Amino acid sequence: RDLNAVIVLKGHGTVITDGNASYRNPTGNPGMAVGGSGDVLAGILVSLLGQKIPPLKAAACAAWLHGAAGDRCAEKMGQYGMLPTDMLQELPHLLK
């Protein structure tokens, strides 16, 4: 709150907060713990910020979209072996 920043603590039950309000994201799975996955999250977040969505809401939405894309991948191919590019391919289905 003192820094006027939004924090996203990724992990099981990701927490997003600005020090005043907070969200807990239930989506995502251990198969997402692979290099490049955070880059996908960052790209989603920057895209939402570029659409003028307020930072806290953008971070919460980005975390949900990222986790939901990972969950769709896990359903289709299992948690092991999925790549960040697989998660990217699921985003259009979530944004309909």
Side-chain angles (χ1 to χ4, degrees):
R1 182 177 2 178
D2 293 344
L3 297 174
N4 194 31
V6 173
I7 305 295
V8 178
L9 177 61
K10 284 296 296 164
H12 179 71
T14 295
V15 176
I16 305 98
T17 186
D18 64 0
N20 295 310
S22 54
Y23 296 93
R24 183 182 169 280
N25 177 44
T27 64
N29 62 75
M32 297 170 64
V34 60
S37 180
D39 296 325
V40 172
L41 173 59
I44 297 168
L45 176 55
V46 170
S47 172
L48 295 172
L49 290 170
Q51 296 175 59
K52 307 289 187 207
I53 296 174
L56 180 62
K57 288 184 180 181
C61 289
W64 186 89
L65 286 166
H66 182 250
D71 288 344
R72 285 179 61 101
C73 287
E75 288 174 16
K76 290 181 176 182
M77 63 182 69
Q79 290 184 19
Y80 303 104
M82 72 170 134
L83 299 172
T85 51
D86 299 320
M87 287 182 263
L88 284 173
Q89 292 176 10
E90 294 302 324
L91 289 174
H93 303 285
L94 296 166
L95 295 171
K96 281 185 179 180

